[in-house]
């Protein structure tokens, strides 16, 4: 292989430049215009969401959702621990506190039983959270029936972080459309991209009108500049929305390619006992944004970091799974609820053992075969590198 095989790279269809040209031809080089409107309409149609607001990033969309739920200093928001930091950062932008919830082993996403325990405690202390942020990692839907029922019974709204799961379904329903709000990301590494961008979807049309208002500096209707609320500059550029318009047209192809990658790896390593593919929940369809595996390396005295380094030497980019947010120094004081009290947290185990593999929709068959062989060689070779960085839990898990 003469070029590195990367984890997840942008995959253009070729039609993006037509829509960008349209923005130039009409001189709508602004955070509004026909591409933004069309991109939003396509997301709305595809997902079946009630209404859509295209934003400058997925993080901005989460921030807007929290603002619309009136999260303010002193409030608490619950969030999956096993996720990218962007899921939780906007909670802190608003001065609120976060409580992290563990994963369960069947989806790697939020544990209903840990959530139930956390909500019961919060209720006892008269401190129910303003929202629960449920993440669907690597394209796999969380157990939405259970999670939605629990949140409803406590009357707590849901924000779905579907940044990684656009086009995935749970019992036939699109990821991001279960909660009061859902967010998508179109960052460069996501299943489709606008180079940078996001979208907020909501069940309530009025909420999206408010989101657009807040995302355009909360400018009131008046002949002068009138402001009665603090807003943001969070709308998507009409140039970038042109990329998104073309990307929406190939979303189904991109999903299929990534699902094929996962199936290739699963077939290839079926008989290798050290490799366990990410589980798939029956009745749900994952877009398989990233193909992730658990590596059982204890007998080999190796860690996923050893594998990552050896793969890198062979020209293959891999990455350990998300480091749980309750282990991040920046969230050191945040409470955490484990899936099963007294056992190692599920998300800590995943972090200790998991690895993401090259997963782009533009990988060739030869590249997939190469990745397959590379991992097999490394596992056979059986030599740890003694490289270990950040792999240990940095603090004790707190029992609640
Ligand atoms: C990418 C990502 C985000 C953030 O999206 P941006 O568009 O990069 O701001 C949020 N949550 C998760 C789980 C993500 O993977």
């Amino acid at each position: 292989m003469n070029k590195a095989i990367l984890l997840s790279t942008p995959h253009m269809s070729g039609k993006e430049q037509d829509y960008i040209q349209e923005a130039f031809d009409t001189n709508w080089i602004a955070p509004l215009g026909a591409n933004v409107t069309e991109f939003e309409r396509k997301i709305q149609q595809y997902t079946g969401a009630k209404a859509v607001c295209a934003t400058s990033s997925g993080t901005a969309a989460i921030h807007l959702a929290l603002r619309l739920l009136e999260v303010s200093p002193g409030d608490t928001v619950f969030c999956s621990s096993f996720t990218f930091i962007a899921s939780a950062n906007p909670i802190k932008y608003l001065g609120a506190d976060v409580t992290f919830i563990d994963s369960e082993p069947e989806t790697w996403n939020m544990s209903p039983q840990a959530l139930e325990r956390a909500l019961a405690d919060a209720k006892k202390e008269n401190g129910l959270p303003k929202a629960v942020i449920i993440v669907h990692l690597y394209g796999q839907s969380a157990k939405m029936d259970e999670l939605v029922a629990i949140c409803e019974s406590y009357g707590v709204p849901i924000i779905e972080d579907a940044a990684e799961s656009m086009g995935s379904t749970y019992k036939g329903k699109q990821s991001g459309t279960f909660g009061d709000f859902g967010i998508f990301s179109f960052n460069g590494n996501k299943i489709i991209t606008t180079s940078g961008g996001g979208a907020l979807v909501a069940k309530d049309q009025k909420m999206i009108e408010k989101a657009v208002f807040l995302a355009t500096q909360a400018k009131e209707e008046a002949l002068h500049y009138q402001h009665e609320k603090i807003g943001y500059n969070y709308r998507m550029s009409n140039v970038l929305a042109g990329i998104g318009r073309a990307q929406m047209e190939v979303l189904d192809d991109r999903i299929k390619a990534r699902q094929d990658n996962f199936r290739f790896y699963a077939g290839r390593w079926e008989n290798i006992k050290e490799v366990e593919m990410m589980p798939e929940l029956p009745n749900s369809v994952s877009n398989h944004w990233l193909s992730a595996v658990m590596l059982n390396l204890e007998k080999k005295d190796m860690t996923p970091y050893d594998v990552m380094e050896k793969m890198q030497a062979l020209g293959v980019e891999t990455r350990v799974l998300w480091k749980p947010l309750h282990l991040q120094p920046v969230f050191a004081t945040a409470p955490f609820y484990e899936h099963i009290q007294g056992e190692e947290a599920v998300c800590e185990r995943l972090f200790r053992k998991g690895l993401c593999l090259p997963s782009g929709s533009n990988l060739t068959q030869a590249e997939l075969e190469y990745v397959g062989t590379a991992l097999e060689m490394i596992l056979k070779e059986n030599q740890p590198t003694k490289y270990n960085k950040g792999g240990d839990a940095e603090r004790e898990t707190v029992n609640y």
Side-chain angles (χ1 to χ4, degrees), residues 35-54 166 174-177 184 186 192 198-205 208 244-245 248 251:
N35 281 337
V36 174
T37 308
E38 263 309 295
F39 185 42
E40 288 175 337
R41 195 186 60 80
K42 283 190 153 121
I43 295 170
Q44 194 273 323
Q45 276 190 338
Y46 189 95
T47 61
K50 187 87 195 229
V52 183
C53 168
M166 187 173 213
Q174 286 284 323
S175 198
T177 63
F184 300 111
F186 308 110
I192 58 167
L200 177 71
V201 302
K203 278 198 172 139
D204 181 351
Q205 169 90 35
I208 290 299
R245 241 176 116 174
M248 277 308 289
L251 175 56

Side-chain angles (χ1 to χ4, degrees), residues 250-307:
V250 293
L251 175 56
D252 281 335
D253 299 339
R254 300 300 182 255
I255 292 172
K256 176 157 190 316
R258 289 192 188 242
Q259 290 170 335
D260 288 348
N261 292 341
F262 184 88
R263 274 172 213 130
F264 171 85
Y265 291 134
R268 176 83 189 222
W269 298 323
E270 201 180 338
N271 298 316
I272 299 186
K273 60 183 185 312
E274 290 91 352
V275 183
E276 226 178 287
M277 300 302 292
M278 180 174 186
E280 289 192 81
L281 197 65
N283 292 323
S284 77
V285 179
S286 172
N287 68 12
H288 286 297
W289 171 58
L290 291 188
S291 288
V293 296
M294 291 268 268
L295 295 172
N296 299 310
L297 302 170
E298 289 82 358
K299 286 203 185 113
K300 296 188 176 294
D301 188 28
M302 282 168 78
T303 69
Y305 291 93
D306 294 312
V307 175

Side-chain angles (χ1 to χ4, degrees), residues 55-62 82-88 133 135-138 161-165 183-190 195-199 289 322:
T55 55
S56 52
S57 71
T59 311
I62 299 172
F82 191 46
T83 181
F84 180 48
I85 189 104
S87 304
I133 300 176
V135 187
H136 307 293
L137 278 190
Y138 308 124
D161 180 344
E164 303 178 2
S165 62
I183 75 96
F184 300 111
S185 167
F186 308 110
N187 196 19
N189 60 346
K190 297 297 182 344
S195 76
W289 171 58
W322 299 125

Side-chain angles (χ1 to χ4, degrees), residues 196-243:
L200 177 71
V201 302
K203 278 198 172 139
D204 181 351
Q205 169 90 35
K206 282 228 166 51
M207 282 294 177
I208 290 299
E209 286 162 19
K210 283 190 189 170
V212 172
F213 169 76
L214 287 175
T216 44
Q217 308 285 23
K219 194 160 72 64
E220 303 287 345
E221 287 208 28
L223 292 177
H224 56 274
Y225 286 95
Q226 176 76 8
H227 299 279
E228 292 159 20
K229 284 199 170 92
I230 296 295
Y232 313 93
N233 181 4
Y234 272 175
R235 283 291 264 167
M236 178 178 275
S237 151
N238 193 51
V239 178
L240 301 188
I243 305 177

